[in-house]
Amino acid sequence: MKLRLFAFVLFTLNFNPVQQSKAQLLNDPAAMKTIQKSLDRIYNLEFAEAQKLIDRIEVQYPGHPVSHILDSFVLFWKYLPVKDHKTMSKVYVQHLNKCLDAVDKKFGKDSKDPEAVFYTMVARGYLAMMYNYNGEMLSAASEGKKAYNAFTEGLKLTNKNPEFYFTSGMYNYYVEVYPEEHPIVKPLLIFFKSGDKELGLRQIEIGTRLGTITKAESCFYLAHIFTKYENKTEKAASFMQKLVDWYPQNPLYAMKYAEALLLAGRFDQAEDKLNMIKKISTGFYPGAYQTFQGLVFEKSLRNDQAAKTCYLASLKLPHDSQYTEEYISIAYAGLARIAHREGDKAKAKAYYKKCLEKAEYRALVAEAKAYK
C-alpha cells in the first residue's frame, strides 16, 4: 500500500498567504509582488535571482514565516528530490521548523489567526512528507495529524481568499478518492471531515485562474488528477502547457507535459519536450525519457523491437517514488502489449503482474487487470 501519496497530497500544500491581523505583509502590494517574483524565479530554477528577492523580503519583514518557507522551497527545487540529499534535506527540515518557531513568536502558540494557520499547515505538511519518504512513519503521522488540524481551519477560509481554492479543492478531492483506491485506510479516516470530488475539482480549477501564489500548484495537481484518476489526458496536457509556457526552464514540468501529451496520443507535439529531457543525464530523467521513447516507438512508429529496448532500458535506470515510479508500470504494460503481439501470453501476463505492483493510474490498472 502506498501511503506516501496520501501523506504527499493531503498534507503537502504550497504557499498561499491569506488575510492576516498582525503582520501587514499581505496588505503591502509591493511586498506581495516581490514574493510572487521570487516564486516565479524558483519555479524557473533561477535560484540566485530568487534568493535576492527573498533577502529583500526578510529585510522588510524580519522574522516573518514566509522567508523560511521560501528558503525551504529553494532547496526543494534546487535539490529535487531533496529527500535524496541527506545534508540538504536536514537544512530543509531546519527551515520548516524555523517557520513554525516564527509562527509561534509572531502569532502565539496554537493561534487561529488565518496566516498562522496557513504557515503551520504548510510547514507541518512538508515535514510530514519528508518523514514519510524517509520511512519515519510515526513522525510522519504526528506531523500529518498536526497539519490536518490546521487544514480544517483553512477549509473555513475558502471564500475569504482565492488562494484557499487550491488547498480546499485538494482536500475535498483527495479525502474521497484516496480511500477508494486504498480501502484499507478507510478506518483511519473515520474522523476526517468528508469531501466532495466534483467540488474539489471545481475549486482547484478556480485556483488556476484566481490564485496568485497557488496558481502554478493548482495547474500541476489538477493535471496530475486528470492523468491518474480521471483519465482525461487532454485536460492534463492543457494545464501542463500553462506551466511550461510560464516556466520554460523547469524540466519536471517539461517531463509531466510530455507524459500527458504522449498518453493523449499527441506524439509529434511531445517531441520538443522529449528532446529537453533527453539532454538531462542525471537523476530520474533518463528513466523517464526511455519510457517515453518506448511509447513513441510502440504507439506512433509501430516499432515493437525498438520500443522493447527502451522499456527494458527504463527498468534498469533510477526512478523516483514521488515523480516517476509510475513510469515503471507504463514500461511493464508496454512490454506486456508487445509480448501479447508476439504470441507469448504467459510473458504478457507476467509483465502485467509486474505492472500492477507499481501502477496507480486508474487507466493502467484497468488495462492490466483486464488482460486474460
Side-chain angles (χ1 to χ4, degrees):
M1 182 185 62
K2 300 178 180 177
L3 284 174
R4 64 178 183 275
L5 286 176
F6 182 65
F8 176 61
V9 177
L10 274 185
F11 299 131
T12 60
L13 304 163
N14 230 307
F15 345 56
N16 49 348
V18 296
Q19 288 182 333
Q20 57 176 317
S21 60
K22 295 187 178 182
Q24 298 301 310
L25 187 151
L26 294 192
N27 294 328
D28 182 343
M32 285 300 295
K33 189 174 182 179
T34 302
I35 290 173
Q36 181 61 68
K37 286 182 178 179
S38 73
L39 286 170
D40 287 340
R41 297 295 184 273
I42 294 170
Y43 283 123
N44 208 37
L45 310 191
E46 300 170 287
F47 302 117
E49 293 83 351
Q51 195 60 58
K52 293 176 184 178
L53 294 164
I54 296 170
D55 292 343
R56 189 188 306 172
I57 296 167
E58 175 61 25
V59 169
Q60 291 177 311
Y61 292 89
H64 196 284
V66 71
S67 296
H68 300 299
I69 288 296
L70 291 172
D71 284 336
S72 73
F73 207 47
V74 168
L75 294 178
F76 182 92
W77 282 98
K78 189 174 184 178
Y79 296 97
L80 187 78
V82 69
K83 63 180 174 57
D84 292 344
H85 298 266
K86 290 186 178 180
T87 300
M88 289 299 107
S89 65
K90 290 179 181 178
V91 179
Y92 174 74
V93 168
Q94 288 172 2
H95 280 302
L96 295 174
N97 281 319
K98 286 179 180 178
C99 174
L100 292 172
D101 290 341
V103 169
D104 287 347
K105 290 178 181 178
K106 185 169 289 292
F107 300 99
K109 193 172 182 63
D110 299 322
S111 171
K112 300 301 183 183
D113 180 279
E115 192 174 9
V117 169
F118 168 73
Y119 288 113
T120 299
M121 176 174 61
V122 172
R124 293 206 181 280
Y126 277 115
L127 285 170
M129 179 180 70
M130 179 60 71
Y131 291 136
N132 185 71
Y133 275 93
N134 287 337
E136 301 174 56
M137 300 311 296
L138 290 178
S139 295
S142 176
E143 291 296 343
K145 175 66 163 58
K146 294 172 184 175
Y148 172 77
N149 290 339
F151 190 73
T152 53
E153 290 295 322
L155 284 172
K156 304 171 185 176
L157 302 170
T158 305
N159 295 325
K160 294 185 177 181
N161 189 291
E163 305 299 335
F164 273 103
Y165 281 109
F166 170 64
T167 58
S168 297
M170 289 285 283
Y171 182 88
N172 276 319
Y173 187 84
Y174 275 99
V175 79
E176 293 298 317
V177 77
Y178 194 85
E180 290 177 1
E181 298 295 305
H182 307 280
I184 195 171
V185 306
K186 284 184 178 180
L188 304 177
L189 302 181
I190 189 170
F191 297 112
F192 278 51
K193 179 178 173 62
S194 297
D196 182 325
K197 286 191 292 185
E198 292 304 316
L199 173 61
L201 288 175
R202 290 196 300 272
Q203 288 174 326
I204 302 172
E205 195 278 329
I206 292 172
T208 70
R209 294 184 285 106
L210 300 185
T212 299
I213 298 174
T214 54
K215 180 171 61 176
E217 295 305 303
S218 295
C219 287
F220 184 82
Y221 284 106
L222 200 55
H224 178 73
I225 287 169
F226 282 132
T227 301
K228 180 176 180 179
Y229 298 111
E230 301 296 323
N231 195 25
K232 296 179 180 178
T233 50
E234 287 287 356
K235 284 191 173 183
S238 69
F239 287 107
M240 287 312 306
Q241 183 176 4
K242 294 178 186 292
L243 290 174
V244 298
D245 287 345
W246 295 335
Y247 309 112
Q249 295 178 202
N250 189 314
L252 179 67
Y253 290 163
M255 183 184 79
K256 289 298 181 179
Y257 183 39
E259 175 193 350
L261 289 172
L262 293 171
L263 294 179
R266 294 160 60 182
F267 300 102
D268 291 342
Q269 291 171 277
E271 184 176 358
D272 180 56
K273 300 310 171 189
L274 287 177
N275 289 335
M276 179 179 176
I277 298 166
K278 184 179 181 180
K279 295 176 182 178
I280 305 175
S281 60
T282 58
F284 51 72
Y285 293 105
Y289 174 76
Q290 290 295 337
T291 297
F292 293 168
Q293 196 60 47
L295 285 171
V296 173
F297 278 125
E298 181 196 359
K299 296 196 170 186
S300 178
L301 302 179
R302 308 295 180 183
N303 186 335
D304 278 357
Q305 290 308 306
K308 184 191 296 187
T309 297
C310 290
Y311 288 141
L312 290 172
S314 175
L315 295 176
K316 296 177 181 179
L317 291 167
H319 288 271
D320 180 73
S321 57
Q322 182 173 327
Y323 296 110
T324 67
E325 192 169 62
E326 193 72 15
Y327 301 161
I328 297 174
S329 59
I330 291 175
Y332 275 124
L335 290 169
R337 291 189 296 269
I338 293 170
H340 175 76
R341 288 193 289 270
E342 291 175 342
D344 193 337
K345 292 193 68 174
K347 183 178 284 188
K349 287 182 179 180
Y351 278 135
Y352 271 132
K353 184 178 180 180
K354 287 284 189 181
C355 169
L356 285 172
E357 291 176 3
K358 297 290 185 181
E360 290 195 339
Y361 289 11
R362 282 181 172 176
L364 203 57
V365 171
E367 176 187 335
K369 287 184 174 180
Y371 189 75
K372 305 295 183 183

